[in-house]
Every structure is written in structure tokens, then in C-alpha cells.
Coordinates of all heavy atoms in Angstrom, one line a residue:
Q1 N 0.8 -1.2 0.0 CA 0.0 0.0 0.0 C 0.8 1.3 0.0 O 0.5 2.2 -0.7 CB -0.9 0.0 1.2 CG -2.1 -1.0 1.1 CD -2.9 -1.1 2.4 OE1 -2.4 -0.9 3.5 NE2 -4.2 -1.3 2.2
V2 N 1.9 1.3 0.8 CA 2.7 2.5 0.8 C 3.4 2.8 -0.5 O 3.6 3.9 -0.9 CB 3.7 2.4 2.0 CG1 4.9 1.5 1.8 CG2 4.3 3.8 2.3
L3 N 3.8 1.7 -1.2 CA 4.4 1.9 -2.5 C 3.5 2.5 -3.5 O 3.8 3.2 -4.4 CB 5.0 0.6 -3.0 CG 6.3 0.1 -2.3 CD1 6.6 -1.3 -2.8 CD2 7.4 1.0 -2.6
A4 N 2.2 2.1 -3.4 CA 1.2 2.6 -4.3 C 0.5 3.9 -3.9 O -0.3 4.5 -4.7 CB 0.1 1.5 -4.5
D5 N 0.8 4.4 -2.7 CA 0.2 5.6 -2.2 C 0.5 6.9 -2.9 O 1.6 7.2 -3.2 CB 0.6 5.7 -0.7 CG -0.1 6.9 0.0 OD1 -1.2 7.3 -0.4 OD2 0.4 7.4 1.0
E6 N -0.6 7.6 -3.4 CA -0.3 8.8 -4.1 C 0.3 9.9 -3.2 O 0.9 10.9 -3.8 CB -1.6 9.4 -4.7 CG -2.7 9.8 -3.6 CD -3.9 10.4 -4.3 OE1 -3.8 11.2 -5.2 OE2 -5.0 10.1 -3.8
F7 N 0.3 9.7 -1.9 CA 0.9 10.7 -1.0 C 2.2 10.3 -0.4 O 2.7 10.8 0.6 CB -0.1 11.0 0.1 CG -1.4 11.6 -0.4 CD1 -2.6 10.9 -0.2 CD2 -1.5 12.8 -1.0 CE1 -3.8 11.4 -0.6 CE2 -2.7 13.3 -1.5 CZ -3.8 12.6 -1.3
N8 N 2.8 9.3 -1.0 CA 4.1 8.8 -0.5 C 5.2 9.8 -0.8 O 5.0 10.8 -1.5 CB 4.4 7.4 -0.9 CG 4.8 7.2 -2.4 OD1 5.2 8.1 -3.0 ND2 4.6 6.0 -2.9
C9 N 6.4 9.5 -0.3 CA 7.6 10.4 -0.5 C 7.9 10.7 -1.9 O 8.4 11.8 -2.3 CB 8.8 9.8 0.2 SG 10.2 10.9 0.3
R10 N 7.6 9.8 -2.8 CA 7.9 10.0 -4.2 C 6.7 10.5 -5.0 O 6.9 10.8 -6.2 CB 8.3 8.6 -4.9 CG 9.6 8.1 -4.3 CD 10.1 6.8 -5.0 NE 9.1 5.8 -5.0 CZ 9.3 4.5 -5.2 NH1 10.6 4.1 -5.3 NH2 8.4 3.6 -5.2
G11 N 5.6 10.8 -4.4 CA 4.4 11.2 -5.1 C 4.4 12.7 -5.5 O 5.3 13.4 -5.0
R12 N 3.5 13.1 -6.3 CA 3.5 14.5 -6.8 C 3.2 15.5 -5.7 O 3.5 16.7 -5.9 CB 2.5 14.6 -8.0 CG 1.1 14.4 -7.6 CD 0.1 14.4 -8.8 NE 0.2 15.7 -9.5 CZ -0.4 15.9 -10.6 NH1 -1.2 15.0 -11.2 NH2 -0.3 17.1 -11.2
Y13 N 2.6 15.1 -4.6 CA 2.3 16.1 -3.6 C 3.4 16.1 -2.5 O 3.2 16.9 -1.5 CB 0.9 15.7 -3.0 CG -0.2 15.7 -4.0 CD1 -0.6 14.4 -4.5 CD2 -0.6 16.8 -4.6 CE1 -1.6 14.4 -5.5 CE2 -1.6 16.8 -5.6 CZ -2.1 15.6 -6.1 OH -3.0 15.6 -7.1
S14 N 4.4 15.3 -2.7 CA 5.6 15.4 -1.8 C 6.5 16.5 -2.2 O 6.6 16.9 -3.3 CB 6.3 14.1 -1.8 OG 7.6 14.1 -1.2
D15 N 7.2 17.1 -1.2 CA 8.2 18.1 -1.4 C 9.6 17.6 -1.5 O 10.5 18.3 -1.6 CB 8.1 19.2 -0.3 CG 6.7 19.9 -0.2 OD1 6.2 20.2 -1.3 OD2 6.2 20.0 0.9
A16 N 9.7 16.3 -1.5 CA 11.0 15.6 -1.5 C 11.7 15.8 -2.8 O 11.1 15.8 -3.9 CB 10.9 14.2 -1.1
G17 N 13.0 15.8 -2.8 CA 13.8 15.8 -4.0 C 14.4 14.5 -4.3 O 14.3 13.5 -3.5
P18 N 15.2 14.3 -5.4 CA 15.8 13.1 -5.8 C 16.8 12.7 -4.6 O 17.5 13.5 -4.1 CB 16.6 13.4 -7.0 CG 15.9 14.6 -7.6 CD 15.4 15.4 -6.4
G19 N 16.7 11.4 -4.3 CA 17.6 10.9 -3.2 C 17.0 11.1 -1.8 O 17.7 10.7 -0.8
D20 N 15.8 11.7 -1.7 CA 15.3 12.0 -0.3 C 14.4 10.8 0.2 O 14.0 10.9 1.4 CB 14.4 13.2 -0.3 CG 15.3 14.5 -0.4 OD1 16.4 14.4 0.1 OD2 14.8 15.5 -0.8
C21 N 14.2 9.8 -0.6 CA 13.2 8.8 -0.2 C 13.8 7.4 -0.1 O 13.3 6.4 -0.6 CB 12.0 8.8 -1.2 SG 11.2 10.4 -1.5
A22 N 14.9 7.3 0.7 CA 15.7 6.1 0.7 C 14.9 4.9 1.3 O 14.9 3.8 0.8 CB 16.9 6.3 1.5
E23 N 14.1 5.2 2.4 CA 13.3 4.1 3.0 C 12.4 3.5 1.9 O 12.2 2.3 1.9 CB 12.5 4.7 4.2 CG 13.3 5.2 5.3 CD 13.8 4.0 6.2 OE1 13.4 2.9 6.0 OE2 14.5 4.3 7.2
L24 N 11.7 4.3 1.1 CA 10.8 3.8 0.1 C 11.6 3.1 -1.0 O 11.1 2.1 -1.5 CB 10.0 5.0 -0.4 CG 8.6 4.7 -1.0 CD1 7.7 4.1 0.1 CD2 8.0 6.0 -1.5
E25 N 12.7 3.7 -1.4 CA 13.5 3.1 -2.5 C 13.9 1.7 -2.2 O 14.0 0.8 -3.1 CB 14.7 4.0 -2.8 CG 14.4 5.4 -3.3 CD 13.8 5.4 -4.7 OE1 13.9 4.4 -5.4 OE2 13.1 6.4 -5.0
F26 N 14.3 1.4 -0.9 CA 14.8 0.1 -0.6 C 13.8 -0.8 0.1 O 14.2 -1.9 0.6 CB 16.1 0.3 0.3 CG 17.2 1.0 -0.4 CD1 17.5 2.4 -0.1 CD2 18.0 0.3 -1.3 CE1 18.6 3.0 -0.8 CE2 19.0 0.9 -1.9 CZ 19.3 2.3 -1.7
L27 N 12.6 -0.4 0.1 CA 11.5 -1.3 0.6 C 11.3 -2.5 -0.2 O 11.1 -2.4 -1.4 CB 10.2 -0.5 0.8 CG 9.0 -1.3 1.2 CD1 9.2 -1.9 2.6 CD2 7.8 -0.4 1.2
V28 N 11.4 -3.7 0.4 CA 11.1 -4.9 -0.3 C 9.6 -5.3 0.1 O 9.4 -5.7 1.3 CB 12.1 -6.0 0.1 CG1 11.7 -7.3 -0.6 CG2 13.5 -5.6 -0.3
P29 N 8.7 -5.3 -0.8 CA 7.3 -5.5 -0.4 C 6.8 -6.9 -0.3 O 5.7 -7.2 0.0 CB 6.5 -4.8 -1.5 CG 7.4 -4.9 -2.7 CD 8.8 -4.9 -2.2
E30 N 7.7 -7.9 -0.5 CA 7.4 -9.3 -0.5 C 8.2 -10.0 0.5 O 9.3 -9.6 0.9 CB 7.6 -9.9 -1.9 CG 6.8 -9.2 -3.0 CD 5.3 -9.3 -2.9 OE1 4.9 -10.3 -2.3 OE2 4.6 -8.5 -3.6
G31 N 7.7 -11.1 1.0 CA 8.4 -12.0 1.9 C 7.5 -12.6 3.0 O 6.6 -11.9 3.5
T32 N 7.7 -13.8 3.3 CA 6.9 -14.5 4.4 C 7.0 -13.8 5.7 O 6.1 -13.9 6.5 CB 7.2 -16.0 4.5 OG1 8.6 -16.1 4.8 CG2 6.9 -16.7 3.2
E33 N 8.2 -13.2 6.0 CA 8.4 -12.5 7.3 C 7.5 -11.3 7.5 O 7.3 -10.8 8.6 CB 9.8 -12.1 7.5 CG 10.3 -10.9 6.6 CD 10.7 -11.3 5.2 OE1 10.5 -12.5 4.8 OE2 11.1 -10.4 4.4
L34 N 6.8 -10.8 6.4 CA 5.9 -9.7 6.5 C 4.5 -10.1 6.9 O 3.7 -9.2 7.3 CB 5.9 -8.9 5.2 CG 7.2 -8.4 4.6 CD1 6.9 -7.6 3.3 CD2 7.9 -7.6 5.6
V35 N 4.2 -11.3 6.8 CA 2.8 -11.8 7.1 C 2.6 -11.7 8.6 O 3.3 -12.2 9.4 CB 2.6 -13.2 6.7 CG1 1.2 -13.8 7.1 CG2 2.8 -13.4 5.2
R36 N 1.5 -10.9 8.9 CA 1.1 -10.6 10.3 C 2.3 -10.0 11.1 O 2.4 -10.2 12.3 CB 0.5 -11.8 11.0 CG -0.9 -12.2 10.6 CD -1.6 -13.2 11.4 NE -1.9 -12.7 12.8 CZ -2.9 -11.9 13.1 NH1 -3.8 -11.5 12.1 NH2 -3.1 -11.5 14.3
A37 N 3.1 -9.2 10.4 CA 4.1 -8.5 11.1 C 3.6 -7.1 11.4 O 3.0 -6.5 10.5 CB 5.4 -8.4 10.3
Y38 N 3.7 -6.6 12.6 CA 3.2 -5.3 12.9 C 4.3 -4.4 13.5 O 5.3 -4.9 14.1 CB 2.0 -5.4 14.0 CG 0.9 -6.2 13.4 CD1 0.8 -7.6 13.5 CD2 -0.1 -5.6 12.6 CE1 -0.2 -8.3 13.0 CE2 -1.1 -6.3 12.0 CZ -1.2 -7.7 12.2 OH -2.2 -8.4 11.6
K39 N 4.1 -3.1 13.5 CA 5.1 -2.1 13.9 C 5.4 -2.3 15.4 O 4.4 -2.4 16.2 CB 4.6 -0.7 13.6 CG 5.7 0.4 13.8 CD 5.2 1.7 13.4 CE 6.2 2.8 13.8 NZ 5.6 4.1 13.4
T40 N 6.6 -2.2 15.8 CA 7.0 -2.2 17.2 C 6.6 -0.9 17.8 O 7.1 0.2 17.4 CB 8.5 -2.4 17.4 OG1 8.9 -3.5 16.7 CG2 8.9 -2.5 18.8
P41 N 5.6 -0.9 18.8 CA 5.2 0.4 19.4 C 6.3 0.8 20.4 O 7.0 0.0 21.0 CB 3.9 0.0 20.1 CG 4.0 -1.4 20.4 CD 4.9 -2.0 19.3
S42 N 6.4 2.1 20.6 CA 7.2 2.7 21.6 C 6.7 2.2 23.0 O 5.5 2.1 23.2 CB 7.2 4.2 21.6 OG 7.8 4.7 22.7
L43 N 7.6 1.9 23.9 CA 7.1 1.5 25.3 C 7.0 2.7 26.2 O 6.7 2.5 27.4 CB 8.1 0.5 25.8 CG 8.1 -0.9 25.2 CD1 9.0 -1.8 25.9 CD2 6.7 -1.5 25.1
R44 N 7.3 3.9 25.7 CA 7.2 5.1 26.6 C 5.8 5.3 26.9 O 4.9 5.4 26.1 CB 7.9 6.3 26.0 CG 9.4 6.1 25.9 CD 10.2 7.4 25.7 NE 11.6 7.1 25.9 CZ 12.2 7.2 27.1 NH1 11.4 7.5 28.2 NH2 13.4 6.9 27.3
G45 N 5.5 5.4 28.3 CA 4.1 5.5 28.7 C 3.3 4.3 28.6 O 2.0 4.3 28.7
V46 N 3.9 3.1 28.3 CA 3.1 1.9 28.0 C 2.1 1.5 29.1 O 1.0 1.0 28.7 CB 4.1 0.8 27.6 CG1 4.9 0.3 28.9 CG2 3.3 -0.4 27.0
A47 N 2.4 1.7 30.3 CA 1.6 1.2 31.4 C 0.2 2.0 31.4 O -0.7 1.5 32.0 CB 2.3 1.3 32.7
E48 N 0.2 3.1 30.8 CA -1.0 4.0 30.9 C -1.9 3.8 29.7 O -2.9 4.5 29.5 CB -0.6 5.4 31.0 CG 0.1 5.8 32.3 CD 0.4 7.3 32.4 OE1 0.3 8.0 31.4 OE2 0.8 7.7 33.5

């Protein structure tokens, strides 16, 4: 989804220039390790 997003770093509504979107450039969108993988949340304030 992020690779196809019209508002991503490489999209026409982004202010980024060439070379500014390294995370997106090197994203590999396939792999069994991505299945049911979720972002690690910050633990700051976690008890609340």
C-alpha cells in the first residue's frame, strides 16, 4: 500500500527531491516474514 500511495515520499504532492526517499526506495514489499508483522510500538508511557 505505501508503494502505491499517491501521497508517499515519491508522489507528486511530496516536497522531497531526488535521493530523499531512501526508505521507500529500498523497501522490499514481498516476503513471508511480513505476514502478520506489525510495527513495534514505543514503550514510553506503555503502562498507561
